[in-house]
Protein backbone atom coordinates (compact mmCIF):
# COMPACT_ATOMS: atom_id res chain seq x y z
CA UNK A 1 0.00 0.00 0.00
CA UNK A 2 1.53 3.36 -0.99
CA UNK A 3 2.88 5.39 1.87
CA UNK A 4 1.08 8.65 2.60
CA UNK A 5 3.12 11.58 1.26
CA UNK A 6 4.95 13.48 3.96
CA UNK A 7 4.08 17.14 4.49
CA UNK A 8 7.71 17.89 5.28
CA UNK A 9 10.18 18.43 2.48
CA UNK A 10 13.39 16.44 2.42
CA UNK A 11 15.40 19.59 3.01
CA UNK A 12 13.32 20.45 6.08
CA UNK A 13 13.82 16.99 7.57
CA UNK A 14 17.54 17.08 6.77
CA UNK A 15 17.85 20.43 8.50
CA UNK A 16 16.07 19.12 11.60
CA UNK A 17 18.40 16.12 11.82
CA UNK A 18 21.40 18.43 11.45
CA UNK A 19 20.15 20.84 14.12
CA UNK A 20 19.57 18.00 16.57
CA UNK A 21 23.03 16.57 15.95
CA UNK A 22 24.67 19.99 16.23
CA UNK A 23 22.88 21.04 19.41
CA UNK A 24 23.50 17.70 21.14
CA UNK A 25 26.98 16.53 20.05
CA UNK A 26 27.09 13.81 22.71
CA UNK A 27 23.68 12.37 21.87
CA UNK A 28 23.54 8.85 20.45
CA UNK A 29 20.80 8.85 17.82
CA UNK A 30 18.56 5.76 17.87
CA UNK A 31 15.66 6.82 15.63
CA UNK A 32 16.65 7.99 12.17
CA UNK A 33 15.26 5.47 9.68
CA UNK A 34 11.73 6.92 9.93
CA UNK A 35 12.95 9.94 7.99
CA UNK A 36 13.45 7.71 4.95
CA UNK A 37 10.05 7.63 3.24
CA UNK A 38 8.83 7.60 -0.36
CA UNK A 39 9.61 11.29 -0.82
CA UNK A 40 13.11 10.77 0.62
CA UNK A 41 13.78 7.87 -1.77
CA UNK A 42 12.61 9.95 -4.74
CA UNK A 43 15.15 12.60 -3.81
CA UNK A 44 17.81 9.92 -3.41
CA UNK A 45 16.89 8.65 -6.87
CA UNK A 46 17.20 12.18 -8.28
CA UNK A 47 20.73 12.51 -6.83
CA UNK A 48 21.87 9.13 -8.15
CA UNK A 49 23.88 9.06 -11.38
CA UNK A 50 21.90 7.53 -14.22
CA UNK A 51 24.78 6.80 -16.62
CA UNK A 52 26.75 4.32 -14.54
CA UNK A 53 27.60 0.74 -15.47
CA UNK A 54 25.15 -2.05 -14.66
CA UNK A 55 25.44 -4.14 -11.51
CA UNK A 56 24.96 -7.87 -11.03
CA UNK A 57 21.24 -7.65 -11.92
CA UNK A 58 21.97 -6.02 -15.29
CA UNK A 59 19.31 -3.35 -14.78
CA UNK A 60 19.79 0.11 -16.24
CA UNK A 61 18.57 3.35 -14.68
CA UNK A 62 16.08 3.95 -17.50
CA UNK A 63 14.56 0.49 -16.93
CA UNK A 64 14.17 1.22 -13.23
CA UNK A 65 12.48 4.54 -14.04
CA UNK A 66 9.69 2.94 -16.11
CA UNK A 67 7.89 1.94 -12.89
CA UNK A 68 9.70 4.33 -10.59
CA UNK A 69 7.10 4.90 -7.87
CA UNK A 70 6.25 1.22 -7.70
CA UNK A 71 9.92 0.27 -7.48
CA UNK A 72 10.68 2.87 -4.80
CA UNK A 73 7.70 1.83 -2.66
CA UNK A 74 8.78 -1.82 -2.88
CA UNK A 75 12.34 -0.80 -1.99
CA UNK A 76 11.10 1.24 0.97
CA UNK A 77 9.01 -1.64 2.29
CA UNK A 78 11.92 -4.08 2.09
CA UNK A 79 14.22 -1.57 3.77
CA UNK A 80 11.82 -0.91 6.66
CA UNK A 81 10.96 -4.60 7.10
CA UNK A 82 14.62 -5.61 7.09
CA UNK A 83 14.12 -7.98 4.14
CA UNK A 84 16.27 -6.05 1.67
CA UNK A 85 19.25 -8.16 0.61
CA UNK A 86 22.34 -6.21 -0.33
CA UNK A 87 23.54 -7.65 -3.67
CA UNK A 88 27.25 -8.29 -4.20
CA UNK A 89 29.20 -5.66 -6.06
CA UNK A 90 30.26 -6.55 -9.60
CA UNK A 91 34.02 -6.13 -9.87
CA UNK A 92 35.55 -5.02 -13.13
CA UNK A 93 39.13 -4.17 -13.99
CA UNK A 94 39.93 -1.06 -15.99
CA UNK A 95 43.36 -0.39 -17.50
CA UNK A 96 45.56 2.21 -15.83
CA UNK A 97 47.14 3.05 -19.17
CA UNK A 98 49.39 1.38 -21.69
CA UNK A 99 50.52 -1.98 -20.40
CA UNK A 100 49.02 -4.83 -18.40
CA UNK A 101 48.30 -3.05 -15.11
CA UNK A 102 44.64 -2.60 -14.21
CA UNK A 103 42.66 -1.04 -11.39
CA UNK A 104 39.68 -2.91 -9.86
CA UNK A 105 36.45 -0.97 -9.39
CA UNK A 106 33.13 -2.03 -7.94
CA UNK A 107 29.74 -1.61 -9.64
CA UNK A 108 26.66 -1.82 -7.37
CA UNK A 109 23.18 -2.35 -8.77
CA UNK A 110 21.23 0.81 -9.56
CA UNK A 111 18.64 0.14 -6.86
CA UNK A 112 21.41 -0.42 -4.33
CA UNK A 113 22.91 2.95 -5.29
CA UNK A 114 19.57 4.63 -4.61
CA UNK A 115 19.21 3.06 -1.16
CA UNK A 116 22.83 3.83 -0.28
CA UNK A 117 22.23 7.44 -1.28
CA UNK A 118 19.13 7.60 0.94
CA UNK A 119 21.06 6.30 3.96
CA UNK A 120 23.99 8.60 3.24
CA UNK A 121 21.63 11.60 3.17
CA UNK A 122 20.59 10.77 6.76
CA UNK A 123 24.08 10.02 8.05
CA UNK A 124 25.57 13.04 6.32
CA UNK A 125 23.17 15.35 8.13
CA UNK A 126 24.47 13.93 11.41
CA UNK A 127 28.19 13.62 10.77
CA UNK A 128 28.63 16.94 8.98
CA UNK A 129 28.06 18.47 12.41
CA UNK A 130 30.91 16.40 13.86
CA UNK A 131 33.53 16.43 11.10
CA UNK A 132 36.38 18.91 11.49
CA UNK A 133 37.55 21.65 9.15
CA UNK A 134 40.73 19.74 8.26
CA UNK A 135 38.67 17.14 6.34
CA UNK A 136 37.77 17.93 2.71
CA UNK A 137 37.11 14.69 0.83
CA UNK A 138 33.59 13.75 -0.31
CA UNK A 139 31.85 16.37 1.81
CA UNK A 140 29.11 18.82 0.73
CA UNK A 141 30.48 22.18 -0.34
CA UNK A 142 34.09 20.98 -0.20
CA UNK A 143 36.48 19.89 -2.90
CA UNK A 144 40.06 19.00 -3.70
CA UNK A 145 40.69 22.54 -4.91
CA UNK A 146 39.48 24.00 -1.62
CA UNK A 147 41.84 21.64 0.20
CA UNK A 148 44.70 22.76 -2.04
CA UNK A 149 43.86 26.42 -1.47
CA UNK A 150 43.80 25.97 2.31
CA UNK A 151 47.10 24.12 2.20
CA UNK A 152 48.68 26.87 0.08
CA UNK A 153 47.52 29.59 2.46
CA UNK A 154 48.86 27.63 5.42
CA UNK A 155 52.26 27.13 3.80
CA UNK A 156 52.41 30.82 2.86
CA UNK A 157 51.50 31.99 6.36
CA UNK A 158 54.19 33.72 8.49
CA UNK A 159 55.69 30.33 9.37
CA UNK A 160 56.81 30.19 5.69
CA UNK A 161 56.58 26.48 5.11
CA UNK A 162 58.24 24.27 7.65
CA UNK A 163 58.21 20.48 7.75
CA UNK A 164 55.62 18.54 5.76
CA UNK A 165 54.66 15.02 6.76
CA UNK A 166 53.06 13.10 3.90
CA UNK A 167 50.79 10.27 5.06
CA UNK A 168 49.99 7.32 2.82
CA UNK A 169 47.73 4.60 4.27
CA UNK A 170 48.26 1.21 2.68
CA UNK A 171 45.12 -0.09 0.93
CA UNK A 172 42.87 1.83 3.30
CA UNK A 173 39.54 1.19 1.55
CA UNK A 174 40.33 -2.54 1.34
CA UNK A 175 41.57 -3.02 4.92
CA UNK A 176 39.34 -0.86 7.10
CA UNK A 177 38.40 -2.94 10.14
CA UNK A 178 34.66 -3.61 10.45
CA UNK A 179 34.78 -4.01 14.23
CA UNK A 180 36.46 -0.66 14.71
CA UNK A 181 34.00 0.98 12.31
CA UNK A 182 31.04 -0.40 14.26
CA UNK A 183 32.48 0.96 17.48
CA UNK A 184 32.85 4.40 15.91
CA UNK A 185 29.26 4.30 14.62
CA UNK A 186 28.06 3.27 18.09
CA UNK A 187 29.24 6.59 19.45
CA UNK A 188 26.71 8.50 17.33
CA UNK A 189 24.21 6.32 15.42
CA UNK A 190 22.47 3.22 16.82
CA UNK A 191 19.32 3.19 14.74
CA UNK A 192 18.68 -0.55 14.28
CA UNK A 193 17.31 -0.37 10.74
CA UNK A 194 20.17 1.74 9.42
CA UNK A 195 22.88 -0.18 11.28
CA UNK A 196 21.60 -3.54 10.03
CA UNK A 197 21.59 -2.15 6.51
CA UNK A 198 25.18 -0.97 6.84
CA UNK A 199 26.18 -4.42 8.09
CA UNK A 200 24.54 -5.99 5.05
CA UNK A 201 26.53 -3.75 2.75
CA UNK A 202 29.75 -4.52 4.58
CA UNK A 203 29.15 -8.25 4.15
CA UNK A 204 27.67 -8.16 0.63
CA UNK A 205 30.91 -9.23 -1.04
CA UNK A 206 32.21 -8.96 -4.58
CA UNK A 207 31.20 -10.89 -7.70
CA UNK A 208 34.15 -11.67 -9.96
CA UNK A 209 34.55 -14.43 -12.56
CA UNK A 210 31.19 -15.88 -11.60
CA UNK A 211 32.12 -16.30 -7.94
CA UNK A 212 31.08 -14.23 -4.92
CA UNK A 213 33.90 -13.32 -2.53
CA UNK A 214 32.70 -12.38 0.95
CA UNK A 215 34.46 -9.44 2.56
CA UNK A 216 35.65 -9.40 6.18
CA UNK A 217 37.22 -5.95 5.98
CA UNK A 218 37.14 -2.83 3.81
CA UNK A 219 34.27 -0.62 2.63
CA UNK A 220 31.52 -1.37 0.06
CA UNK A 221 33.09 -0.81 -3.33
CA UNK A 222 31.70 1.66 -5.82
CA UNK A 223 28.86 3.04 -3.72
CA UNK A 224 28.35 6.47 -2.15
CA UNK A 225 28.41 4.93 1.31
CA UNK A 226 32.10 4.00 1.15
CA UNK A 227 33.53 7.56 1.23
CA UNK A 228 31.29 8.51 4.16
CA UNK A 229 32.30 5.44 6.18
CA UNK A 230 35.93 6.23 5.39
CA UNK A 231 35.48 9.77 6.70
CA UNK A 232 33.84 8.48 9.88
CA UNK A 233 36.74 6.07 10.41
CA UNK A 234 39.53 8.59 9.80
CA UNK A 235 37.70 11.30 11.74
CA UNK A 236 38.30 9.17 14.83
CA UNK A 237 41.68 7.70 13.93
CA UNK A 238 43.38 10.85 12.63
CA UNK A 239 41.36 14.08 12.66
CA UNK A 240 40.23 14.15 16.30
CA UNK A 241 43.50 12.66 17.52
CA UNK A 242 45.56 15.33 15.76
CA UNK A 243 43.27 18.17 16.89
CA UNK A 244 42.64 17.08 20.47
CA UNK A 245 45.82 15.23 21.44
CA UNK A 246 48.65 16.29 19.11
CA UNK A 247 48.18 20.04 18.66
CA UNK A 248 48.16 20.89 22.40
CA UNK A 249 51.54 19.16 22.74
CA UNK A 250 53.26 20.98 19.88
CA UNK A 251 55.90 23.62 20.63
CA UNK A 252 55.29 25.40 17.31
CA UNK A 253 52.37 25.90 14.96
CA UNK A 254 50.97 22.98 13.00
CA UNK A 255 47.97 22.11 10.87
CA UNK A 256 46.60 19.20 8.83
CA UNK A 257 44.72 18.83 5.55
CA UNK A 258 43.02 15.50 4.79
CA UNK A 259 41.20 14.48 1.63
CA UNK A 260 39.76 10.96 2.03
CA UNK A 261 42.78 8.76 2.84
CA UNK A 262 45.38 11.31 1.65
CA UNK A 263 46.74 13.69 4.27
CA UNK A 264 49.56 16.13 4.87
CA UNK A 265 50.60 17.46 8.27
CA UNK A 266 52.56 20.71 8.33
CA UNK A 267 54.78 21.69 11.28
CA UNK A 268 56.71 24.84 12.04
CA UNK A 269 59.36 22.96 14.04
CA UNK A 270 61.29 19.86 13.04
CA UNK A 271 61.19 18.29 16.52
CA UNK A 272 57.36 18.43 16.51
CA UNK A 273 57.22 16.76 13.10
CA UNK A 274 59.58 13.96 14.13
CA UNK A 275 57.69 13.30 17.36
CA UNK A 276 54.46 12.82 15.41
CA UNK A 277 56.18 10.70 12.77
CA UNK A 278 57.49 8.40 15.52
CA UNK A 279 54.04 7.75 17.01
CA UNK A 280 52.03 7.52 13.77
CA UNK A 281 52.67 3.81 13.06
CA UNK A 282 51.52 2.88 16.56
CA UNK A 283 48.46 5.10 16.26
CA UNK A 284 47.37 3.61 12.96
CA UNK A 285 48.29 0.08 14.02
CA UNK A 286 45.90 0.39 16.95
CA UNK A 287 43.08 0.61 14.40
CA UNK A 288 44.35 -2.14 12.06
CA UNK A 289 45.82 0.30 9.53
CA UNK A 290 49.33 0.42 8.10
CA UNK A 291 51.40 3.25 6.67
CA UNK A 292 53.26 2.86 3.40
CA UNK A 293 56.95 2.77 4.41
CA UNK A 294 58.16 4.65 1.33
CA UNK A 295 55.31 7.03 0.59
CA UNK A 296 54.95 8.21 4.19
CA UNK A 297 57.82 10.65 4.56
CA UNK A 298 58.97 13.88 6.17
CA UNK A 299 59.95 16.73 3.85
CA UNK A 300 61.91 19.84 4.75
CA UNK A 301 59.85 22.57 3.11
CA UNK A 302 61.02 25.92 4.44
CA UNK A 303 61.32 29.04 2.33
CA UNK A 304 64.64 29.21 0.39
CA UNK A 305 66.97 31.88 1.69
CA UNK A 306 66.38 30.93 5.29
CA UNK A 307 68.06 27.54 4.90
CA UNK A 308 70.41 25.85 2.44
CA UNK A 309 68.40 25.35 -0.79
CA UNK A 310 69.93 21.88 -1.17
CA UNK A 311 68.09 20.82 2.00
CA UNK A 312 64.68 21.85 0.69
CA UNK A 313 62.43 19.21 -0.84
CA UNK A 314 59.04 19.07 -2.53
CA UNK A 315 55.97 16.95 -2.04
CA UNK A 316 52.90 15.75 -3.95
CA UNK A 317 49.33 16.14 -2.75
CA UNK A 318 46.06 15.61 -4.64
CA UNK A 319 47.83 15.28 -7.96
CA UNK A 320 49.98 18.42 -7.65
CA UNK A 321 53.67 18.79 -6.88
CA UNK A 322 54.30 21.57 -4.37
CA UNK A 323 57.62 23.40 -4.55
CA UNK A 324 59.18 26.80 -3.82
CA UNK A 325 59.64 29.19 -6.73
CA UNK A 326 59.90 32.89 -7.53
CA UNK A 327 56.91 35.06 -8.44
CA UNK A 328 57.04 37.66 -11.19
CA UNK A 329 58.02 40.21 -8.55
CA UNK A 330 60.95 38.07 -7.48
CA UNK A 331 59.45 36.89 -4.20
CA UNK A 332 59.45 33.32 -2.93
CA UNK A 333 56.12 31.52 -3.04
CA UNK A 334 54.76 27.98 -3.02
CA UNK A 335 54.04 26.87 -6.58
CA UNK A 336 52.07 23.88 -7.84
CA UNK A 337 52.31 21.88 -11.03
CA UNK A 338 50.89 18.59 -12.23
CA UNK A 339 52.64 15.79 -10.35
CA UNK A 340 54.89 13.76 -12.69
CA UNK A 341 53.08 10.51 -11.92
CA UNK A 342 49.67 12.04 -12.71
CA UNK A 343 51.01 13.69 -15.87
CA UNK A 344 52.39 10.38 -17.13
CA UNK A 345 49.21 8.52 -16.23
CA UNK A 346 47.01 11.02 -18.07
CA UNK A 347 49.09 10.64 -21.23
CA UNK A 348 48.95 6.85 -20.94
CA UNK A 349 45.16 7.01 -20.86
CA UNK A 350 45.15 9.16 -24.01
CA UNK A 351 47.63 6.82 -25.72
CA UNK A 352 45.54 3.77 -24.92
CA UNK A 353 42.37 5.40 -26.21
CA UNK A 354 43.99 6.62 -29.44
CA UNK A 355 45.50 3.20 -30.09
CA UNK A 356 42.22 1.36 -29.56
CA UNK A 357 40.08 3.87 -31.49
CA UNK A 358 42.38 5.00 -34.27
CA UNK A 359 40.00 3.74 -36.96
CA UNK A 360 37.08 5.88 -35.79
CA UNK A 361 36.20 8.88 -37.98
CA UNK A 362 38.46 11.83 -37.24
CA UNK A 363 35.44 13.89 -36.19
CA UNK A 364 34.58 11.38 -33.44
CA UNK A 365 38.20 11.14 -32.30
CA UNK A 366 38.41 14.92 -32.12
CA UNK A 367 35.25 15.14 -30.04
CA UNK A 368 36.41 12.53 -27.49
CA UNK A 369 39.95 13.90 -27.23
CA UNK A 370 38.54 17.37 -26.66
CA UNK A 371 36.37 16.03 -23.87
CA UNK A 372 39.35 14.30 -22.22
CA UNK A 373 41.51 17.40 -22.48
CA UNK A 374 38.86 19.70 -21.05
CA UNK A 375 38.46 17.27 -18.16
CA UNK A 376 42.21 17.45 -17.55
CA UNK A 377 42.16 21.26 -17.63
CA UNK A 378 39.15 21.33 -15.30
CA UNK A 379 41.24 19.72 -12.56
CA UNK A 380 44.85 20.68 -13.28
CA UNK A 381 44.08 24.09 -14.76
CA UNK A 382 45.29 26.27 -11.89
CA UNK A 383 47.22 29.49 -12.18
CA UNK A 384 50.94 28.74 -12.21
CA UNK A 385 50.54 25.40 -13.97
CA UNK A 386 50.49 26.81 -17.51
CA UNK A 387 53.71 25.13 -18.62
CA UNK A 388 52.45 21.67 -17.67
CA UNK A 389 49.09 22.33 -19.31
CA UNK A 390 50.76 23.46 -22.52
CA UNK A 391 53.05 20.43 -22.42
CA UNK A 392 50.03 18.16 -21.97
CA UNK A 393 48.34 19.65 -25.04
CA UNK A 394 51.54 19.27 -27.06
CA UNK A 395 51.94 15.62 -26.05
CA UNK A 396 48.31 14.85 -26.87
CA UNK A 397 48.87 16.27 -30.35
CA UNK A 398 51.93 14.04 -30.80
CA UNK A 399 50.04 10.97 -29.59
CA UNK A 400 47.13 11.69 -31.92
CA UNK A 401 49.52 12.20 -34.84
CA UNK A 402 51.25 8.89 -34.10
CA UNK A 403 48.10 6.78 -34.06
CA UNK A 404 46.44 8.55 -36.98
CA UNK A 405 49.58 7.63 -38.92
CA UNK A 406 48.98 3.97 -38.13
CA UNK A 407 45.48 3.83 -39.56
CA UNK A 408 46.82 2.76 -42.92
CA UNK A 409 50.14 1.46 -44.24
CA UNK A 410 49.55 3.05 -47.62
CA UNK A 411 48.89 6.67 -46.65
CA UNK A 412 51.20 7.69 -43.82
CA UNK A 413 50.32 10.85 -41.91
CA UNK A 414 52.80 13.69 -42.48
CA UNK A 415 53.24 16.67 -40.16
CA UNK A 416 52.07 18.97 -42.96
CA UNK A 417 48.89 16.97 -43.42
CA UNK A 418 48.39 16.76 -39.67
CA UNK A 419 48.79 20.54 -39.41
CA UNK A 420 45.99 21.00 -41.92
CA UNK A 421 43.85 18.54 -39.99
CA UNK A 422 44.38 20.53 -36.76
CA UNK A 423 43.14 23.67 -38.49
CA UNK A 424 39.88 21.88 -39.17
CA UNK A 425 39.77 20.00 -35.87
CA UNK A 426 41.66 22.16 -33.34
CA UNK A 427 42.29 20.70 -29.91
CA UNK A 428 41.19 22.78 -26.89
CA UNK A 429 43.81 25.34 -25.85
CA UNK A 430 45.47 24.92 -22.47
CA UNK A 431 44.04 27.33 -19.95
CA UNK A 432 43.74 27.84 -16.21
CA UNK A 433 40.28 27.27 -14.76
CA UNK A 434 41.07 27.89 -11.09
CA UNK A 435 42.73 31.12 -10.00
CA UNK A 436 45.07 31.04 -7.02
CA UNK A 437 46.92 33.66 -5.05
CA UNK A 438 50.40 32.34 -5.86
CA UNK A 439 50.83 34.75 -8.71
Amino acid sequence: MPERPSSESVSTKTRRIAELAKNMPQLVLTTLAHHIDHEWLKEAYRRTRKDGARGVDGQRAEEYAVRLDENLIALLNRFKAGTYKAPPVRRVHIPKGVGSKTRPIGVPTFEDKVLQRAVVMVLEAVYEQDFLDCSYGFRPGRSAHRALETLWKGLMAPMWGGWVLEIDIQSFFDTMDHGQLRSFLDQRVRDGTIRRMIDKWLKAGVLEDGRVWRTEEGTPQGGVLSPLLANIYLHEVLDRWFTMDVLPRMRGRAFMIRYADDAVLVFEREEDARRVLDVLPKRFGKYALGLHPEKTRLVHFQQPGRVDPRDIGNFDFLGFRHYWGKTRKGRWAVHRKTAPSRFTRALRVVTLWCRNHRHLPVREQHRTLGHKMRGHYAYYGITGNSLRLARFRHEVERIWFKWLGRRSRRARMSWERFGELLKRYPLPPARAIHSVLAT
Side-chain angles (χ1 to χ4, degrees):
M1 186 174 179
E3 185 172 328
R4 185 176 62 186
S6 171
S7 59
E8 296 179 306
S9 68
V10 173
S11 60
T12 300
K13 290 191 286 186
T14 301
R15 187 165 57 251
R16 289 185 177 182
I17 298 171
E19 289 175 354
L20 177 63
K22 183 178 181 179
N23 295 332
M24 305 184 74
Q26 305 302 321
L27 178 67
V28 177
L29 301 168
T30 58
T31 55
L32 289 171
H34 67 280
H35 292 291
I36 301 178
D37 54 16
H38 184 210
E39 181 186 16
W40 192 280
L41 281 181
K42 288 192 76 171
E43 177 62 19
Y45 166 82
R46 188 187 69 80
R47 299 185 188 184
T48 301
R49 283 186 56 182
K50 312 299 190 296
D51 58 350
R54 290 177 289 181
V56 295
D57 62 353
Q59 188 176 50
R60 295 184 182 276
E62 53 267 28
E63 297 170 350
Y64 194 84
V66 172
R67 303 167 66 183
L68 180 61
D69 284 331
E70 184 178 336
N71 287 331
L72 292 180
I73 291 172
L75 174 62
L76 179 64
N77 291 336
R78 283 178 286 146
F79 168 68
K80 292 294 181 71
T83 58
Y84 179 83
K85 295 183 179 180
V89 172
R90 183 172 68 89
R91 176 177 287 173
V92 296
H93 294 265
I94 61 174
K96 287 186 175 181
V98 178
S100 58
K101 290 187 177 181
T102 61
R103 177 168 60 92
I105 61 171
V107 183
T109 65
F110 180 77
E111 183 175 66
D112 206 50
K113 292 178 185 178
V114 173
L115 186 55
Q116 282 194 38
R117 175 63 70 183
V119 171
V120 164
M121 287 162 56
V122 174
L123 295 179
E124 205 169 61
V126 175
Y127 281 102
E128 275 300 307
Q129 317 314 311
D130 298 346
F131 290 158
L132 303 178
D133 286 342
C134 60
S135 168
Y136 286 84
F138 305 103
R139 294 182 57 189
R142 293 183 165 230
S143 66
H145 289 103
R146 283 195 62 186
L148 289 164
E149 180 184 2
T150 305
L151 174 60
W152 184 87
K153 289 180 178 179
L155 292 169
M156 288 294 293
M159 62 191 289
W160 290 101
W163 294 80
V164 176
L165 178 56
E166 294 183 78
I167 293 180
D168 187 279
I169 308 172
Q170 284 188 309
S171 304
F172 170 70
F173 286 93
D174 295 328
T175 60
M176 192 177 68
D177 184 81
H178 291 176
Q180 295 284 359
L181 174 62
R182 293 186 183 100
S183 69
F184 295 151
L185 288 168
D186 284 343
Q187 298 174 26
R188 201 60 160 127
V189 175
R190 294 185 188 174
D191 179 282
T193 303
I194 288 179
R195 289 296 300 274
R196 282 191 294 271
M197 195 62 251
I198 292 175
D199 277 342
K200 289 180 180 180
W201 279 317
L202 291 174
K203 299 175 182 177
V206 174
L207 176 66
E208 185 174 15
D209 297 330
R211 180 179 176 183
V212 176
W213 304 83
R214 298 301 175 186
T215 50
E216 300 297 331
E217 55 187 14
T219 59
Q221 293 187 3
V224 295
L225 181 66
S226 180
L228 178 60
L229 295 182
N231 274 335
I232 293 171
Y233 203 93
L234 290 177
H235 170 74
E236 297 293 337
V237 174
L238 183 58
D239 301 357
R240 291 187 73 251
W241 172 72
F242 181 80
T243 303
M244 306 299 180
D245 297 339
V246 173
L247 283 181
R249 293 177 169 84
M250 297 292 96
R251 298 182 61 187
R253 288 169 291 181
F255 68 93
M256 180 182 77
I257 302 292
R258 180 177 67 81
Y259 190 94
D261 59 332
D262 291 327
V264 289
L265 283 59
V266 182
F267 302 88
E268 181 182 13
R269 303 172 69 100
E270 180 183 4
E271 57 266 36
D272 288 341
R274 295 199 179 277
R275 285 170 58 199
V276 174
L277 178 59
D278 288 341
V279 300
L280 268 180
K282 183 177 180 180
R283 174 67 184 179
F284 278 83
K286 179 180 178 181
Y287 298 98
L289 297 176
L291 295 174
H292 195 290
E294 297 176 358
K295 296 181 180 179
T296 299
R297 65 190 187 107
L298 185 62
V299 179
H300 192 188
F301 198 73
Q302 280 191 304
Q303 179 194 13
R306 300 188 174 195
V307 295
D308 189 335
R310 292 172 296 182
D311 295 334
I312 301 172
N314 54 58
F315 67 95
D316 295 345
F317 184 60
L318 297 182
F320 287 90
R321 172 148 296 178
H322 295 67
Y323 63 100
W324 285 100
K326 288 290 188 72
T327 67
R328 293 176 180 176
K329 296 181 179 180
R331 299 172 182 171
W332 288 107
V334 177
H335 289 241
R336 284 84 57 85
K337 63 182 179 181
T338 311
S341 60
R342 295 294 187 90
F343 188 83
T344 302
R345 186 170 72 183
L347 291 179
R348 284 177 176 169
V349 170
V350 172
T351 299
L352 183 65
W353 189 89
C354 287
R355 185 184 72 182
N356 293 340
H357 299 86
R358 61 185 182 273
H359 294 297
L360 287 179
V362 172
R363 183 186 299 274
E364 292 185 28
Q365 293 189 43
H366 172 257
R367 182 170 58 250
T368 301
L369 284 176
H371 178 74
K372 291 180 180 295
M373 294 175 71
R374 281 186 285 269
H376 185 86
Y377 299 154
Y379 186 78
Y380 293 103
I382 65 173
T383 308
N385 195 28
S386 58
L387 291 179
R388 283 282 180 167
L389 296 178
R391 175 70 184 279
F392 179 77
R393 185 180 188 278
H394 173 72
E395 293 297 332
V396 171
E397 284 187 356
R398 293 187 62 199
I399 293 168
W400 197 22
F401 167 77
K402 172 184 175 179
W403 290 105
L404 283 177
R406 298 191 180 187
R407 284 157 62 98
S408 171
R409 293 183 178 180
R410 301 178 191 174
R412 288 287 183 179
M413 176 69 69
S414 66
W415 280 109
E416 290 76 16
R417 183 182 169 197
F418 184 64
E420 292 298 320
L421 182 144
L422 285 178
K423 292 179 181 179
R424 186 176 180 183
Y425 299 104
L427 293 175
R431 68 188 194 92
I433 308 295
H434 309 278
S435 176
V436 294
L437 302 177
T439 57

